[in-house]
Amino acid sequence: MDSAIGTYICQTIDCSKPATLQCPTCIKMALAPAYFCDQECFKRYWPIHKTFHKKQEEQEDQKNKFKFTGPLRPGKISARLFVPDHIKKPEWYLSGQPTEEMKSKLQQVVDCKTPEDIQKMRDCAAIGRGALDAGHAAVKPGVTTDEIDKIVHKYIIDHDAYPSPLNYNGFKKSLCTSVNEVICHGIPDDRPLENGDIVNLDVSVYYKGFHIDLNETYFVGEVSESSKFLVEKAYTCLQKAIEICKPGTMYRDVGNIIEKYISENGLAVNRTYCGHGVGQLFHCAPTIPHYGKNKAPGFMKPGHTFTIEPMINQGTHQDILWTFDNWTAVTADGQRSAQFEHSILITEGGCEVLTARLPTSPPLDFKI
């Protein structure tokens, strides 16, 4: 792998060394190669790794039998990228499990950040914005989402931060790339982006003990008028939701604002995936549904930090999961979906968009 991008991590579970040695069986089977740091590690892990080959064959069989809802098909997924030792890592870096996050009291209680916490989140958000802008600049026909993943990964680690999704519940990549009918959690792969696609890049960063989360949807080349309409409305509904964010606003009102605007425009709001608290934890309270008449409890208070990230569909609000990877959520009718996300801080006088676009951010493809 190009040293300008970085190296892969050794696939041996208890090893976190950089790796360049490829598994020859993976290559022979035309799989995305697994990497190891040296022959000893490879030999030690072989009894476990060889089961991966069978699992990949089974997964390919599942793909062939799977009833896809739209035209998109997955490509090959490359190995996990390496993160240097000096970078502070979350609990799931090696284990893949956010155990302490799930046990935290912050799953039920919304904390108010201190001024010191807020400054750390601003620092984290600056890295997240820069990483997303770097990924955006690479979007064009012929570029693979795996290449964009490498660009975003490099930007984040070059700023001494960690890409939060990496190995979170086993997720293999450093950002989510959701193309066309993918609602969220698309896995970067070797499929080249095509003229007319839309693609969402979802970046999350861990830095100084805090996480930040943001995403945007972009046009790939020339897209249809219906896709332009979808993406612009997805952007606008997020802005309308942010406008009501201030102390005393009920969290349930976010969904009421979004649903009203989207339904008036003949589109649908996905009801499965919600906004969430963000800070010391990647995901925590509050939960923020994006649809109307929801029962989300609580009021916004100064110091609360959370995401708003409505997923807007051209057709039905319903989704299904690609069961062969257990991550990729797509529209149930195969029509397209678009999303924008910001991390928000509630202030005494209103709110601060921590992940706001900058004058240097590549422009979006529609007027704002």
Side-chain angles (χ1 to χ4, degrees):
M1 185 179 175
D2 188 341
S3 60
I5 298 295
T7 55
Y8 294 106
I9 185 173
C10 181
Q11 297 299 287
T12 303
I13 289 177
D14 60 352
C15 181
S16 60
K17 296 178 181 177
T20 56
L21 179 67
Q22 299 181 37
C23 169
T25 306
C26 289
I27 297 172
K28 184 177 180 180
M29 295 176 65
L31 303 174
Y35 286 79
F36 296 87
C37 60
D38 57 32
Q39 285 287 351
E40 289 303 313
C41 230
F42 176 60
K43 290 177 182 177
R44 181 163 60 89
Y45 196 59
W46 174 250
I48 297 174
H49 176 64
K50 66 181 180 181
T51 63
F52 166 81
H53 303 139
K54 184 177 180 180
K55 183 178 179 181
Q56 291 301 297
E57 289 178 328
E58 292 172 349
Q59 190 176 75
E60 286 301 314
D61 186 54
Q62 290 174 11
K63 287 181 188 177
N64 293 333
K65 295 177 181 178
F66 189 80
K67 187 176 181 180
F68 290 92
T69 63
L72 187 72
R73 297 294 181 271
K76 293 179 183 176
I77 300 171
S78 62
R80 186 155 58 105
L81 294 167
F82 176 70
V83 178
D85 291 342
H86 73 275
I87 291 175
K88 183 175 182 178
K89 302 171 178 67
E91 59 171 321
W92 53 83
Y93 173 61
L94 287 179
S95 71
Q97 299 300 315
T99 305
E100 294 304 314
E101 175 177 286
M102 297 310 298
K103 294 192 301 184
S104 172
K105 67 178 182 180
L106 295 180
Q107 296 299 338
Q108 288 78 40
V109 178
V110 184
D111 68 327
C112 294
K113 306 298 187 297
T114 67
E116 292 77 14
D117 294 340
I118 290 168
Q119 186 55 53
K120 289 177 181 179
M121 291 195 70
R122 289 190 182 115
D123 294 342
C124 186
I127 297 172
R129 169 48 61 184
L132 183 59
D133 289 347
H136 180 187
V139 171
K140 63 181 179 180
V143 173
T144 69
T145 50
D146 191 65
E147 291 174 287
I148 297 172
D149 177 75
K150 291 181 174 68
I151 291 168
V152 169
H153 179 90
K154 182 178 187 301
Y155 186 98
I156 293 170
I157 66 171
D158 281 353
H159 287 78
D160 296 328
Y162 182 92
S164 303
L166 188 62
N167 211 30
Y168 184 81
N169 285 316
F171 193 82
K172 289 182 67 173
K173 311 305 288 183
S174 296
L175 82 158
C176 299
T177 53
S178 300
V179 179
N180 297 342
E181 66 264 30
V182 180
I183 296 171
C184 61
H185 303 156
I187 306 173
D189 60 27
D190 69 350
R191 174 194 177 272
L193 293 172
E194 299 176 0
N195 187 62
D197 286 344
I198 60 173
V199 59
N200 178 274
L201 305 184
D202 192 340
V203 170
S204 307
V205 174
Y206 181 60
Y207 183 64
K208 295 183 178 179
F210 287 83
H211 298 271
I212 209 76
D213 205 356
L214 71 160
N215 74 55
E216 294 177 343
T217 301
Y218 309 120
F219 301 156
V220 183
E222 294 296 322
V223 305
S224 65
E225 289 301 317
S226 61
S227 289
K228 290 178 182 178
F229 181 84
L230 169 70
V231 173
E232 189 273 329
K233 298 307 177 188
Y235 177 87
T236 302
C237 78
L238 173 60
Q239 304 313 306
K240 288 182 175 294
I242 291 171
E243 287 173 2
I244 70 165
C245 290
K246 62 182 185 299
T249 296
M250 298 178 71
Y251 279 110
R252 67 184 60 175
D253 287 343
V254 170
N256 294 331
I257 291 290
I258 292 170
E259 179 89 56
K260 182 177 185 297
Y261 177 78
I262 289 303
S263 62
E264 288 173 349
N265 283 279
L267 301 169
V269 182
N270 177 263
R271 303 169 79 90
T272 302
Y273 301 96
C274 300
H276 54 86
V278 68
Q280 292 97 329
L281 302 181
F282 191 5
H283 301 94
C284 56
T287 296
I288 306 172
H290 303 119
Y291 54 88
K293 298 181 181 179
N294 66 80
K295 304 298 184 183
F299 296 82
M300 298 178 189
K301 297 179 180 180
H304 284 188
T305 54
F306 53 87
T307 73
I308 305 177
E309 46 186 302
M311 291 150 242
I312 309 304
N313 300 348
Q314 287 179 327
T316 178
H317 68 84
Q318 296 175 320
D319 57 89
I320 70 166
L321 191 68
W322 281 1
T323 52
F324 51 83
D325 70 23
N326 286 319
W327 275 106
T328 307
V330 299
T331 57
D333 58 7
Q335 296 193 64
R336 291 188 169 189
S337 182
Q339 180 189 14
F340 289 83
E341 173 187 22
H342 278 306
S343 291
I344 310 296
L345 163 70
I346 298 301
T347 63
E348 292 291 344
C351 74
E352 176 183 341
V353 180
L354 296 169
T355 50
R357 293 180 60 80
L358 303 173
T360 54
S361 298
L364 295 173
D365 300 299
F366 51 88
K367 293 181 180 179
I368 58 174

